[in-house]
Amino acid sequence: MYHCAILRYAAHLLEKGLLVQHGLGGSIRKLLTSLVVCGAAIAGVAVVLDVWARVRPPHAYGYCVSCHGRDLVAWLVNHLLHVQWEISEPGRYGPIVTVAGLLLGAFLASALTGERRAQRATVAWRSLAAGALAAILALVALGCPVHQALLLGYGDWLAIPALAAFYGGASLGTMALGRWAERRQ
Amino acid sequence: MILLCTFAGGLVIGFLAQRSRFCMVAPMRDFILTRRWAVWSGVASLAVVSFGLYSLAIHWGWVARPFTPFSARLVCLIVAASGLLGIVSVWAEGCPTRQHVLAAQGNGNARFYLLGFYVGIVIYLALVVTPLSGLLGW
């Protein structure tokens, strides 16, 4: 796509012109692709949004895909249809658009590195059902797993059974899918 | 203000999550399938850094110490929903954050996941939240 090509060229110029010249290209790339840095950055951004930008209450509300998505949907519906759907306190002051930023950030990163590729859906109905179930379950269970980990860092004891159950469910699901794949072969 | 702050925060997280392939469910899946510990580093650093930063914030009085009263009904509900969320996340091949990143990357399945995710949010707000509040006595 045209705009992706422009972004890629900009990244190429930046890398060749600035970073490689000073020998920084490799180390910056390593930092950006490190899981440790990403986890720390998510925690840092979430705490800054929570403490400084006052995205609270509830506790540790700086980053949560499902809760912030719920706030955005509820804000839009409340303003368009004049109803009173449940919304968090910071969500009443203005739209919480973390999910829009997340999508744009991931789009820019993938376009800059040439990883963006349009792929057709292979299991559309399964993904649709999984998405709907995941949203409802996450909203019942304190929020998305990242929010549960943030709550654990904050010191809320409810995050311990939530994360333990999440990883218990994940291991059960992995083993069940493995067995199912073996049987199909 | 809240619009700009949350958008900027999401942008930074989206960029880094795409570059590092951050996912909450992948560590457990990869550990069971390949016995690799390394993928846990993202989740571990998220928990450790948030613990450190929140400890400082509580120490300096910027946020209050957390207090959640015990409720057996709430714990049972959270454990059941969270366990099922783990199973669904493995089934969908990624946690909600990873699915948003994959959808922005052009993955068709993740785009359908997102469609289902926002339909699920509407279902929750329209049908689930009122009986749930009644069940928990809120």
Side-chain angles (χ1 to χ4, degrees), chain A residues 32-36 38-47 49-53 55-56 59-60 63 65-66 69-70 73-74 85-86 90 94-110 112-113 115-124 126-128 130-146 148-150 153-158 161-162 165-167 169-171 173-175 177, chain B residues 1-3 5-7 9-25 27-29 32-33 38-43 45-47 49-51 53-54 57-58 62-71 74-75 77-79 81-93 95-97 100-101 103-118 120-126 128-129 132-133:
Chain A
L32 288 179
T33 53
S34 153
L35 270 171
V36 178
C38 181
I42 293 178
V45 167
V47 174
L49 284 177
D50 181 14
V51 176
W52 181 70
V55 188
R56 69 181 5 250
H59 302 315
Y63 179 79
V65 174
S66 54
R70 188 254 338 251
V73 169
W85 275 7
E86 193 203 64
I96 296 182
V97 286
T98 318
V99 277
L102 183 71
L103 287 171
L104 185 66
F107 170 79
L108 284 176
S110 57
L112 278 169
T113 51
E115 281 180 22
R116 200 186 133 71
R117 230 166 257 120
Q119 292 168 323
R120 286 176 73 90
T122 49
V123 281
R126 197 181 87 179
S127 303
L128 199 76
L133 275 173
I136 296 169
L137 291 168
L139 285 167
V140 174
L142 295 177
C144 78
V146 178
Q148 292 177 355
L150 285 170
Y154 181 51
D156 190 335
W157 63 268
L158 261 180
F166 176 74
Y167 283 116
S171 49
T174 310
M175 287 188 276
L177 279 180
Chain B
M1 176 69 178
I2 206 158
L3 186 130
C5 290
T6 50
F7 187 75
L11 202 69
V12 172
I13 293 174
F15 194 94
L16 290 172
Q18 197 281 328
R19 296 304 301 128
S20 63
R21 286 149 183 75
F22 182 87
C23 179
M24 286 298 282
V25 80
M28 185 49 100
R29 187 195 56 203
I32 288 178
L33 294 178
V39 197
W40 281 101
S41 56
V43 179
S45 89
L46 171 65
V49 172
S50 63
F51 175 73
L53 292 175
Y54 271 121
I58 291 170
W62 290 344
V63 287
R65 212 169 275 282
F67 171 71
T68 315
F70 180 78
S71 155
L74 181 65
V75 174
L77 192 72
I78 284 175
V79 165
S82 210
L84 284 172
L85 178 64
I87 295 174
V88 168
S89 294
V90 168
W91 191 44
E93 294 163 13
C95 75
T97 301
H100 277 72
V101 169
Q105 242 175 270
N107 187 309
N109 289 332
R111 274 205 294 266
F112 274 95
Y113 179 96
L114 246 63
L115 181 66
F117 194 78
Y118 290 98
I121 286 176
V122 172
I123 293 172
Y124 172 84
L125 285 168
V128 180
V129 73
L132 190 71
S133 305

